[in-house]
Amino acid sequence: MTAPTKSARTIPTAFAIAEALRIAMASDPDVILMGEDVAGGGSRPEGTDEMGGILSVTRGLVREFPDRVLDTPISEMGILGTAVGAALTGLRPVVELMFMDFIGTCLDPLLNQASKFRYMFGGKARVPLTVRTVTGAGLQAAAQHSQSLYWITAGIPGLKTVIPSNAADAKGLLLAAIRSDDPVIFCEPKGILFLSTDVPEEDYEVPIGTAKVVRAGSDVSLVGMGATVGMALAAADELERDGISAEVLDLRSLAPLDEDAILATLAKTGRLVVVDEATPRCGIASDIAALCVDKGFDFLNGPVKRVTAAMCPVPFSRVLEEAYMPSAARVVEAARGLL
Amino acid sequence: MRTMEPTEEILLVAYRTMRTIRSFEEKLVELVTRGKLGGFLHTYIGEEAVAAGVCANLSDDDHVASTHRGHGHCIAKGVDVRGMMAELFGAGSGICKGRGGSMHIADLGRGMLGANGIVGAGIPLATGAALTAKLKKTGGVGVAFFGDGASNQGAFHESLNMAANWKLPAVYVCENNGWGEFTPTEFVVPVADIAERARSYAMHSLIADGMDFFDVYAKSGAAIARARRGEGPTLLECKTYRFAGHYVGDTLVYRNKLEADHWINHRDPLQIFTSRVVGDRLLAVEDLQRIDREVADRIEEAVSAAEAAPLPDPGDLLEDVYVQR
């Protein structure tokens, strides 16, 4: 299904996510929301306004679906484990894990439970669980609220991991995630949450596992995910001024990975830069570099370049955080080095 | 508390369940000795009255989450021993197609959410099943079996807090067998009874003699009825004992033989049950003997079928990782 555009409005990603949640809950009574502050006081009788989560993404939903928006204690292990049990027995929970950094307190329900049941129980179980979680640096949130840890979940067989780069894809990917019978980690990069794009009003899905060429080019491929797609597009504009034609591929899904789309753009340009907000070791960028060497060696006209975060904790000070993060300038530099 | 007297039918099922667990696992030990089975096996022998007593109050619409010591819960919840035996042989006809093994036997149709290799991990799963029952108004309950060791995990405390707060139809059955792997419970638990931990969550709690089917049946029945009435969860501690070691092959160097002998010779749940039902003329000795023979035959048949069953096709290695590829 592709996104129809006739009724599009320009809204931020955070609103597009809320819209997807509203559509999913209205169309399926088994969909529930669980998480810290997701109702946020909205069901109290005094008539106070509610928080609707740390970034107010779910504000208002508790009024529409009072029995299905559940404020939880600050107990990530309990929340995730309970959601997995609920998913296994007939509900379709959407959990808000406030920041992906907090996965350290609740990895077991994902690592050893949700991801394993389908396989380990001989193909009889379904775990239709979605975990929404905020990723990425750029807000001076420092070392424990800024990490891009999707490489952990993308490396676990049985889990799917998606990461939108814009509001329209966020809505379609989230609807696909919630309706998937497999557990899906839905990453919400800080860098795009409050950026606006045209978002259709309709109910539509972006298929999980499909990358998208968001800018066509012929000299070099820039592969991004989440907030780094914007960096790649900015880099492509800059390169164009030098007469270099860059193609930009938005991965959208990290697991499953659209290998065909990566190899197709590599075959077209022969040069590839992958841009990843995460640390470089054992990550998506390294994985894609390995894919290019393993299955795309004959297409390569040079090395595969990885533009990633630095191999250190995310620092607080603005100048250090900027030095830590990948950027359009670093993508331009890497691409120029290939030509 | 009003004592619920089990019917003759329930007693016959309970005896068959406990005898099946005992015979199934004695057969497993024999098969391991003969080199027929691989993997890690943890036997439930000695704790049969807990699974049999609790599950006698449950139907297929109720969900149970189990532990690494899960054969007893599976059998008591109605999982077919032929499928279980084939699974332990790694056969393609196993209940999990040979992908799970001893620590991952599940049968969702029977409400069995799986044995679990991670200590404490089943507790939030049963909590989630209780959440489903409450929101979908199924009338079902979620039951977590776990050991004294699991009550030291965060998953236990977080789950009990959530279940009590939401008044979920859940029952938390702690099988306190005195040992967390190779460490005595009192070395790592400061409270005298695990049941005391319920007070932190304003949760109802009970303590049962886990070697006595009648006591477990009555107290778990009360807890389950309370959950079904919407009155919230219960922590039920069953005092029991692990007759064998932590796993099959455990040398037991850490355990006092006199302690074990006392439980094995004087507190065997099958002997306690038999004395009671025969002494009180609730069941005839002939009925019990007939069940013993039928169970023995069924397990021999399960072994023969498992040994003859084809192994999985390695070409199917990547099947069922996802529902939708």
Side-chain angles (χ1 to χ4, degrees):
Chain A
M1 220 180 313
T2 52
T5 52
K6 63 182 190 310
S7 62
R9 311 121 305 147
T10 302
I11 56 172
T13 302
F15 289 11
I17 289 169
E19 200 165 273
L21 293 171
R22 185 172 286 108
I23 289 171
M25 295 187 82
S27 61
D28 183 348
D30 289 338
V31 175
I32 64 165
L33 301 191
M34 293 172 70
E36 294 154 12
D37 320 307
V38 291
S43 52
R44 285 164 60 188
E46 304 92 290
T48 52
D49 201 358
E50 71 270 18
M51 273 296 290
I54 187 74
L55 300 172
S56 293
V57 171
T58 55
R59 175 179 270 172
L61 288 172
V62 70
R63 297 180 195 199
E64 285 178 66
F65 310 102
D67 301 328
R68 292 194 276 147
V69 181
L70 308 178
D71 270 341
T72 62
I74 302 173
S75 304
E76 284 85 3
M77 165 67 84
I79 300 165
L80 258 295
T82 298
V84 174
L88 194 58
T89 52
L91 289 175
R92 201 169 275 278
V94 182
V95 169
E96 180 170 312
L97 177 62
M98 196 179 287
F99 292 99
M100 197 168 192
D101 311 68
F102 304 167
I103 201 168
T105 63
C106 59
L107 190 55
D108 187 70
L110 297 173
L111 171 66
N112 284 314
Q113 313 298 326
S115 59
K116 305 287 193 280
F117 288 161
R118 177 86 186 160
Y119 191 80
M120 189 162 82
F121 297 165
K124 285 170 292 192
R126 283 167 195 265
V127 186
L129 167 73
T130 302
V131 179
R132 296 176 39 235
T133 189
V134 174
T135 60
L139 295 184
Q140 281 194 278
Q144 296 169 342
H145 289 70
S146 303
Q147 295 169 88
S148 294
L149 298 173
Y150 40 66
W151 52 275
I152 295 177
T153 57
I156 299 172
L159 296 182
K160 294 181 175 178
T161 299
V162 300
I163 181 166
S165 70
N166 61 77
D169 279 355
K171 178 176 171 182
L173 275 173
L174 182 54
L175 278 163
I178 294 170
R179 290 164 180 167
S180 166
D181 284 334
D182 293 305
V184 183
I185 313 302
F186 180 86
C187 298
E188 301 180 0
K190 289 188 190 77
I192 68 146
L193 269 176
F194 299 102
L195 292 183
S196 297
T197 55
D198 286 351
V199 177
E201 280 181 29
E202 293 87 349
D203 179 345
Y204 62 93
E205 296 176 22
V206 170
I208 294 173
T210 60
K212 183 182 180 184
V213 175
V214 292
R215 176 182 171 126
S218 54
D219 296 330
V220 60
S221 299
L222 309 178
V223 177
M225 64 209 85
T228 69
V229 174
M231 296 173 196
L233 286 168
D237 285 344
E238 176 73 20
L239 290 165
E240 190 175 34
R241 284 192 274 276
D242 295 350
I244 298 168
S245 168
E247 178 150 298
V248 178
L249 182 71
D250 179 355
L251 288 178
R252 303 198 294 190
S253 287
L254 305 180
L257 188 65
D258 190 345
E259 294 189 0
D260 291 346
I262 297 164
L263 294 171
T265 189
L266 177 63
K268 189 173 169 190
T269 66
R271 300 175 187 88
L272 192 137
V273 179
V274 54
V275 200
D276 185 354
E277 263 200 288
T279 42
R281 290 295 319 278
C282 310
I284 304 295
S286 300
D287 211 16
I288 287 170
L291 171 74
C292 293
V293 173
D294 185 6
K295 295 185 182 170
F297 191 75
D298 292 343
F299 305 135
L300 283 168
N301 289 328
V304 177
K305 300 304 289 184
R306 297 173 299 156
V307 176
T308 69
M311 195 64 192
C312 66
V314 187
F316 166 70
S317 176
R318 170 66 72 195
V319 63
L320 291 175
E321 189 181 39
E322 278 175 11
Y324 167 89
M325 291 173 70
S327 64
R330 286 177 54 204
V331 178
V332 168
E333 188 189 332
R336 281 187 181 139
L338 291 176
L339 287 149
Chain B
M1 181 175 56
R2 188 176 61 87
T3 306
M4 293 193 295
E5 293 299 337
T7 62
E8 182 181 337
E9 189 192 345
I10 284 172
L11 291 174
L12 285 168
V13 169
Y15 183 72
R16 185 181 296 275
T17 297
M18 291 194 289
R19 177 56 69 195
T20 303
I21 297 168
R22 179 70 57 95
S23 299
F24 182 85
E25 292 199 324
E26 285 174 348
K27 178 59 71 177
L28 297 188
V29 174
E30 180 196 320
L31 289 165
V32 169
T33 310
R34 287 164 46 203
K36 294 274 189 184
L37 296 182
F40 296 169
L41 289 172
H42 308 85
T43 61
Y44 192 69
I45 291 173
E47 307 184 20
E48 294 92 340
V50 181
V54 173
C55 293
N57 291 292
L58 301 176
S59 79
D60 287 350
D61 296 329
D62 300 311
H63 289 100
V64 160
S66 170
T67 70
H68 58 288
R69 203 173 298 291
H71 304 145
H73 310 132
C74 292
I75 289 169
K77 200 67 176 65
V79 181
D80 178 20
V81 291
R82 282 167 298 193
M84 289 176 64
M85 190 64 82
E87 184 64 26
L88 297 177
F89 272 81
S93 60
I95 187 104
C96 300
K97 298 188 191 169
R99 300 220 192 95
S102 169
M103 279 191 279
H104 307 301
I105 294 172
D107 188 345
L108 298 169
R110 289 287 188 186
M112 164 47 70
L113 301 178
N116 210 307
I118 306 298
V119 170
I123 303 172
L125 297 178
T127 307
L131 179 64
T132 299
K134 178 171 175 143
L135 292 183
K136 294 180 77 116
K137 300 181 172 66
T138 66
V141 296
V143 176
F145 289 102
F146 55 95
D148 42 283
S151 79
N152 295 326
Q153 287 277 26
F156 167 87
H157 295 276
E158 294 187 20
S159 296
L160 264 66
N161 182 56
M162 289 170 68
N165 196 44
W166 288 342
K167 274 197 158 188
L168 295 184
V171 178
Y172 299 95
V173 181
C174 178
E175 302 176 312
N176 183 350
N177 65 19
W179 291 89
E181 296 197 325
F182 318 107
T183 301
T185 306
E186 67 266 24
F187 279 35
V188 290
V189 175
V191 288
D193 299 306
I194 303 295
E196 279 184 56
R197 293 185 155 171
R199 276 201 297 167
S200 306
Y201 309 109
M203 187 185 288
H204 183 57
S205 68
L206 293 165
I207 296 175
D209 177 356
M211 307 314 259
D212 179 3
F213 168 84
F214 288 85
D215 199 39
V216 174
Y217 175 76
K219 286 174 179 156
S220 63
I224 290 163
R226 180 187 164 89
R228 291 198 207 284
R229 288 195 303 270
E231 292 171 17
T234 300
L235 173 60
L236 169 64
E237 178 181 3
C238 297
K239 307 277 193 187
T240 183
Y241 196 75
R242 189 183 79 196
F243 281 11
H246 170 53
Y247 62 96
V248 177
D250 183 346
T251 55
L252 287 168
V253 290
Y254 54 89
R255 197 166 80 174
N256 181 334
K257 190 168 182 303
L258 288 177
E259 172 196 296
D261 286 348
H262 165 74
W263 286 89
I264 292 166
N265 295 328
H266 302 289
R267 301 285 294 139
D268 184 325
L270 279 144
Q271 284 177 12
I272 290 171
F273 181 90
T274 302
S275 302
R276 167 92 180 258
V277 294
V278 173
D280 291 358
R281 301 190 182 180
L282 300 171
L283 295 178
V285 175
E286 294 73 33
D287 285 335
L288 303 182
Q289 290 171 339
R290 175 178 50 78
I291 289 172
D292 287 349
R293 288 193 301 274
E294 288 170 2
V295 166
D297 289 348
R298 190 151 160 255
I299 285 167
E300 284 306 328
E301 182 206 333
V303 172
S304 304
E307 283 186 302
L311 294 172
D313 180 353
D316 294 339
L317 178 69
L318 297 179
E319 273 192 9
D320 295 325
V321 179
Y322 296 98
V323 180
Q324 293 126 350
R325 261 278 163 203

